[in-house]
Each structure stands twice: as structure tokens, then as C-alpha cells.
Amino acid sequence: MNAMFKNFIIYISTIYASLTYCYYISSKIPKGKYRFISLVPVIIIFTLLPLRCTTVFTTAVSFCFTTWLTNFKLIRFAFDLDHSPYNPSDSLFKFILLTSLPIKSKSNHANSIKTRIEFTLGLGFKIVVFATLLNIVVRYKPYLHKKVISTAYGWILMFMIDIVVALVNAVISPLTGLQLEPSSNHPYLATSLQNFWGRWNLMITNSLRHTVYKPIINVFPNRKWAPLVGILASFLVSGLMHEMLVCQMSRMAPMWYMTLFFMVHGVSVVVEMIIKRALDGRWRLPELVGTIPKGKYRFISLVPVIIIFTLLPLSCTTVFTTAVSFCFTTWLTNFKLIRFAFDLDHSPYNPSDSLFKFILLTSLPIKSKSNHANSIKTRIEFTLGLGFKIVVFATLLNIVVRYKPYLHKKVISTAYGWILMFMIDIVVALVNAVISPLTGLQLEPSSNHPYLATSLQNFWGRWNLMITNSLRHTVYKPIINVFPNRKWAPLVGILASFLVSGLMHEMLVCQMSRMAPMWYMTLFFMVHGVSVVVEMIIKRALDGRWRLPELVGTVLTMGFLTVTGVTLFIPPFTRSHLDMKMLREYTWMAKCFGAKD
């Protein structure tokens, strides 16, 4: 640690001393070759400086910010290329910042609160994905194909650059009022190679634009072909700089793969530009997904994403996180993507929405509704209701943990049912408490007092509304729209919805337990589906002439749910010992938060 700290002090001191020399001495020399000659010693020092670093990470960061960015800005400063960052009226401190960091002289206040929130959430998302990919590679590298590992490395590097620049910006921006240039602009949305390299690693792209590309097109005699020559030269320089980066990180001789990679891309971009010129806008490839017409082709383009989201919960290591991941990703997001693919019943996607809003609307049960629509009374009722549910949930869970050996199995199973009911409400409410203030968007309520249901049909219209709505849009409504017999179409739609729900719950239990399906869940939901259909047929026949008293209906509904739940819904949890795993996780969490046994 002492050696690392010493190297860091030497590193910072060297940069400060060198740039002070540039500010006071080189700036007095007229721009051109003589100023450049005066800067050569500094450029050599900055080229060798990363070799003092003792870790791969610090070597890479030092190279990018010092050997590449600062040296290229000093070259701009030497010849005053394309408005170099140096200004005689700038202070030494500002000169050092503008020369050593990818800074735009722009006030912080230009960023709206919404922009900052989107930036913070986007950074959080990148950190989570980065950590997840890194964890997968570390844990499962011996079992993964080399191509899969290489692909993961590419995404890891992409997110790492964004994260490093964002963290540097988080320190620099409040202190100086200056903004760092964004590290990238959603390169994964690029519609062509040219578009990708205009979005990716903007810090490096801008340095090459000012020191290689623009000087070449300004001096090249043929104006038509000058941009293509400038692009090839930029990719060549980029390849050589990446080659040097790998050499400094590995302390080995160059292998020239990097140079070849960038030259292949440079030639490809040039060929792409020539083709675009020849077509002159008469024909253009469609962008992915967003402009693919709704229907089977858009669905096919989404199949890889749906598969990934189906398997994603298997990367979770606890029962609770597996369940939450399955509900929000495998179920909710996948079903919304199916709606998006076929534009079923007004899918959540809107071309005018930002990427950030599209991600929120697709991955969460959100209604685009302002927070201000909620009155203070509604918020108080919500808070008190949530507090009540947390108390009941914790009480039931504590009773099961403490007294399970002394309670009848049916009592425990009934308690499990209520615990699951309250847990879903609590998780959705807590997610809403985070999302709502940040975005102004409201999550759909998880349920609407299902324990007050007066019939089975009424219960399933009140319970777990997130899932109910997803099934309504992707199963029920499409079926009643295509079924030939309009009278019986709703009943067929209900049966199909309960079947799909049963299969999804079956998959949920399999992913939580890592065991083969037992089909109890599917049977439970089919029993309820058939029961709801029978109930609806009886209501049709009676045509409102007779109705059960509400209290009797509630008692019968809760009784039927308890009997079928205890015999069909809960056994998959108990027979696979999921209940014991969940109780252990609860006990662990209680200890973490300081609860007493």
C-alpha cells in the first residue's frame, strides 16, 4: 500500500509539474513546430508514466487519461489544431483540468433534475450489469465457451469505461462546475458501424477527430476522398494506441491484433460510407426492433432477449431474489415484450419515449401518471396500510419460525399463503417508494384488498394485479378477439389465462427450488380457472335474479382458496423444502437488521 501511495504521489506531481511547464514556458512559444519540440519531453514522460503503475487497472486508466488524452490535447495545443483547449486567459488550474480530462467548459446548472436522475439510475444499472457479468465470468469461466467469455469481456470493458468516467465526473463536476464529456452515447443502439464509432468512447473519438481526422481533411488535395482517408488514418492511429495500451498493461511485446482489429473496422466503415454515397439515400437498412414492423419478425428479433430474461433468475443465489427476478423479468418484462412484438392492446412502447422511459415502462408495472395525482390522504392511507401489512407479515413469519414444530401442517400452510400475499404487496410498495419520487411515474397497485372478495371471479380481479394485467393483455384479450364464438370467447380466454398462469407459477417454483416440476401449481390454477368459468355460467343463468350475501360470498371464497391452496398451492414449497430455505433467509435478514430471536 505504501508503494502504491508513493507511486500515486509521484504520478500526480509529475503531471502537475509537466503541465505547469507547458502553461508557463511552452505557451510563450509561437504555435507550430517549435512549440511542439518544447512539448516533446512532456509527451515522452506522459507516454512512459503508466509503466510506474503496479496494477492492470491503474495502468489502463493512466494510459487513457495521460498517454492518450493529455498527449493528444498537447499536440492540439502545439499546433492550435481545431480550437485547442488552451486559452491564455485561463488559470493554471483550469488549464490542467482542460488538458488532462475530457472536459467541456459547461456549467453544472445546465443539467435538469430529470437528467441527473436518469444519469444516476443509468449509472446504477451499468454498475449492476458490470458486477453481474464480472461475477459470472469469475465463477463460471471453466464451464463457459471461450467465445461467450470473450463476448462478456467486451461488455465488461464497455461498462467499465462508462463507470470510470462517470465516477470521475461525479468528483470533478461539483468541485469545478465543469462537465466531463459523456463516455458514450448508447453504442448498443448503433444502426451501422459508422454510427457505432460515433457513439462509442467519445473521449477517444473526439481526440482523434481534432488531432488526426480534421487536420488530414484540411490538407488532403482531393476533398471528395479526404474524409475517407481521414477515417482510415484515425483508425490506424487508434489501433497503434490500443496496441501500446495492451503492451503497457501486459509488459509484453506487441501482437498487432489491436492494430488489425481497428484497420478492419476502418476499412469496413469506409466501404459502408462508399455504399451509402452510391445509394444516395434511395435505400436504407431498417434499424433493429424499433422499426421492424409489428408481428412475427419483430417477435423473432426479441426471442434472444426473452430467452435471456427467462434464464436470468437462475443466476440468483437466494430464493427471495430468484422470486423477485422471475416476477419482474421472466414474467412481467417478457410478457410486455410480447405485447410490444405484436402491439397487443396498446403495448407500453411509444417511439417518442426515451430509452430510459421505455426501460421503466417495460420492466416495471408502471402507469404513466404523475405523482401529484395522489392526494395527501391517499398517501397517508397507503403508508398506514403498508405499515399494517409489514407488521402482520413479520408477525406471521415470526410465529412460523418459532412455533412450526408445534403447529398443524394445515395451519402452517394457511400461514404461508397469507405470508406470500403480504410479501408481494410489500415488495411492490417498496419498489414504488423508490421509483415514484425519482421518475414521477406510479406503479400499478399489487392488489386491491383480495381478502374482501365476494366470489372467485372477484378475487382474481383483485389479487396480484401486475400478473392479472399482463395475462389480460397478452392472453385473454387476443383470444377473445380471434375466437369465432363471441359468447363463449371470454370463458375460453379465462381458461387459457389460468393455464398460462399455472405454467408460469410452475416455472417459478422450478427456478426457486432448482427441481423438476411437480405440476401442483398448474393443477391449482386450472381448478380455479374451471371454477371461475362455472361461476360465470351460473351467474349468466341466474341473470341477477339471486345473489349470495356479500359476507357469505367472502367466507365461501376464502374457504375455497384455503382448501385448494393448502392441498395444491403450498405443497410445491414444502415438498421441495423451499419453505425452510425462505425461513432461513428471513432469519438471516432479521439478524442483519438487528432483530432478536
Side-chain angles (χ1 to χ4, degrees):
M1 288 297 291
N2 289 334
M4 287 182 65
F5 183 72
K6 181 180 178 182
N7 280 336
F8 178 74
I9 296 298
I10 294 172
Y11 177 82
I12 296 298
S13 301
T14 303
I15 291 175
Y16 181 79
S18 300
L19 291 179
T20 301
Y21 160 79
C22 297
Y23 181 79
Y24 286 111
I25 306 299
S26 297
S27 64
K28 304 299 185 282
I29 302 172
K31 67 179 181 180
K33 61 181 179 180
Y34 294 112
R35 183 186 288 180
F36 175 72
I37 291 169
S38 73
L39 292 172
V40 166
V42 176
I43 293 172
I44 293 172
I45 290 169
F46 285 174
T47 302
L48 300 176
L49 204 55
L51 294 173
R52 287 199 61 87
C53 299
T54 55
T55 67
V56 172
F57 178 76
T58 52
T59 302
V61 173
S62 171
F63 184 94
C64 291
F65 282 94
T66 309
T67 305
W68 196 324
L69 181 69
T70 307
N71 275 350
F72 275 54
K73 285 197 174 185
L74 288 177
I75 293 170
R76 289 177 62 190
F77 167 48
F79 298 99
D80 196 23
L81 298 173
D82 195 38
H83 308 295
S84 73
Y86 171 72
N87 189 326
S89 63
D90 287 339
S91 65
L92 171 63
F93 175 70
K94 189 173 182 180
F95 174 76
I96 291 173
L97 284 178
L98 291 173
T99 310
S100 60
L101 291 172
I103 282 177
K104 287 184 176 179
S105 183
K106 185 178 179 183
S107 172
N108 260 346
H109 305 294
N111 279 351
S112 66
I113 295 174
K114 182 182 177 183
T115 304
R116 295 180 202 174
I117 291 169
E118 289 184 0
F119 168 79
T120 304
L121 293 176
L123 176 60
F125 171 76
K126 289 171 185 175
I127 291 172
V128 169
V129 176
F130 170 76
T132 303
L133 287 172
L134 206 55
N135 193 41
I136 289 171
V137 170
V138 170
R139 287 191 174 203
Y140 305 109
K141 187 178 179 182
Y143 314 107
L144 296 173
H145 193 277
K146 289 182 179 179
K147 302 295 184 185
V148 175
I149 295 170
S150 297
T151 304
Y153 282 157
W155 284 96
I156 287 168
L157 287 171
M158 182 184 293
F159 285 119
M160 185 174 68
I161 291 171
D162 281 0
I163 292 166
V164 169
V165 174
L167 294 177
V168 172
N169 191 31
V171 175
I172 295 295
S173 182
L175 293 175
T176 65
L178 298 171
Q179 284 284 333
L180 264 67
E181 296 172 346
S183 55
S184 61
N185 180 24
H186 309 301
Y188 37 83
L189 298 179
T191 56
S192 66
L193 279 177
Q194 185 184 2
N195 186 235
F196 174 84
W197 290 110
R199 291 169 171 264
W200 166 240
N201 207 346
L202 300 180
M203 175 180 79
I204 300 303
T205 301
N206 289 335
S207 70
L208 290 168
R209 179 182 295 113
H210 297 303
T211 54
V212 182
Y213 177 76
K214 286 191 174 181
I216 284 178
I217 64 172
N218 287 334
V219 301
F220 200 75
N222 188 319
R223 305 299 292 174
K224 180 180 178 182
W225 298 103
L228 306 184
V229 176
I231 286 170
L232 284 175
S234 299
F235 273 95
L236 174 61
V237 172
S238 182
L240 293 172
M241 291 301 291
H242 279 85
E243 202 75 57
M244 190 190 301
L245 167 62
V246 174
C247 291
Q248 292 208 2
M249 290 166 68
S250 63
R251 306 297 199 265
M252 293 173 63
M255 293 181 275
W256 304 112
Y257 283 101
M258 282 290 181
T259 308
L260 181 60
F261 170 83
F262 281 93
M263 285 311 298
V264 166
H265 276 262
V267 171
S268 301
V269 168
V270 166
V271 170
E272 184 182 277
M273 291 177 68
I274 292 172
I275 293 171
K276 286 179 180 177
R277 279 186 187 177
L279 292 172
D280 194 24
R282 292 189 299 273
W283 183 80
R284 189 187 297 268
L285 280 171
E287 298 176 10
L288 190 60
V289 184
T291 55
I292 295 176
K294 65 180 181 181
K296 61 182 180 180
Y297 294 112
R298 185 184 287 183
F299 175 73
I300 290 169
S301 72
L302 292 170
V303 165
V305 178
I306 292 171
I307 292 172
I308 291 169
F309 285 172
T310 302
L311 299 177
L312 204 56
L314 293 173
S315 64
C316 298
T317 55
T318 67
V319 173
F320 177 75
T321 53
T322 302
V324 172
S325 172
F326 184 94
C327 291
F328 282 94
T329 310
T330 305
W331 197 324
L332 179 69
T333 306
N334 274 351
F335 276 53
K336 284 196 174 184
L337 288 177
I338 293 169
R339 289 177 62 191
F340 168 47
F342 297 101
D343 197 23
L344 299 173
D345 195 38
H346 307 296
S347 75
Y349 173 71
N350 189 328
S352 63
D353 287 339
S354 65
L355 171 64
F356 174 71
K357 188 173 181 181
F358 173 70
I359 290 173
L360 282 179
L361 291 174
T362 311
S363 58
L364 292 171
I366 281 178
K367 287 184 176 179
S368 185
K369 184 179 179 182
S370 172
N371 261 347
H372 305 295
N374 279 351
S375 66
I376 296 175
K377 182 182 176 183
T378 304
R379 295 180 200 175
I380 292 171
E381 288 179 357
F382 168 80
T383 306
L384 293 175
L386 176 60
F388 172 75
K389 289 171 184 175
I390 291 172
V391 170
V392 176
F393 169 77
T395 303
L396 286 172
L397 209 50
N398 198 38
I399 289 170
V400 171
V401 169
R402 289 191 175 202
Y403 305 109
K404 188 179 179 184
Y406 314 108
L407 297 174
H408 193 278
K409 289 182 180 180
K410 304 296 183 185
V411 175
I412 294 170
S413 297
T414 304
Y416 282 157
W418 285 96
I419 287 168
L420 289 171
M421 182 184 294
F422 285 120
M423 184 173 68
I424 291 171
D425 281 0
I426 292 166
V427 169
V428 174
L430 294 176
V431 172
N432 191 32
V434 175
I435 295 295
S436 183
L438 293 175
T439 65
L441 299 171
Q442 284 283 336
L443 265 67
E444 296 172 347
S446 54
S447 61
N448 181 22
H449 309 300
Y451 38 82
L452 300 179
T454 56
S455 66
L456 280 177
Q457 184 184 3
N458 186 234
F459 174 84
W460 291 110
R462 291 170 171 264
W463 166 242
N464 207 346
L465 300 180
M466 175 179 80
I467 300 303
T468 301
N469 288 335
S470 70
L471 291 168
R472 179 182 297 112
H473 296 303
T474 54
V475 182
Y476 178 76
K477 285 191 176 182
I479 284 178
I480 64 173
N481 287 334
V482 300
F483 201 74
N485 190 317
R486 306 298 293 174
K487 179 181 178 181
W488 298 103
L491 305 184
V492 176
I494 286 170
L495 284 175
S497 299
F498 274 94
L499 174 60
V500 172
S501 183
L503 293 172
M504 291 301 291
H505 278 85
E506 202 75 56
M507 190 191 299
L508 167 62
V509 174
C510 290
Q511 292 208 359
M512 291 167 69
S513 64
R514 307 296 200 263
M515 293 174 64
M518 291 181 268
W519 304 112
Y520 282 96
M521 283 290 181
T522 308
L523 182 57
F524 170 83
F525 281 94
M526 285 312 297
V527 166
H528 276 261
V530 171
S531 301
V532 168
V533 166
V534 170
E535 185 182 273
M536 290 176 68
I537 292 171
I538 293 171
K539 285 179 181 178
R540 277 187 188 177
L542 292 172
D543 195 23
R545 293 190 299 271
W546 183 78
R547 190 188 298 269
L548 279 174
E550 287 190 0
L551 181 59
V552 175
T554 300
V555 171
L556 290 175
T557 300
M558 291 296 110
F560 185 77
L561 281 162
T562 301
V563 172
T564 53
V566 167
T567 54
L568 294 174
F569 190 89
I570 299 301
F573 292 94
T574 55
R575 295 192 180 187
S576 60
H577 304 296
L578 273 174
D579 60 328
M580 299 305 298
K581 294 177 184 176
M582 292 168 73
L583 292 176
R584 281 198 296 270
E585 288 177 14
Y586 163 74
T587 304
W588 176 80
M589 288 178 66
K591 288 180 179 178
C592 287
F593 287 101
K596 296 180 180 179
D597 294 334

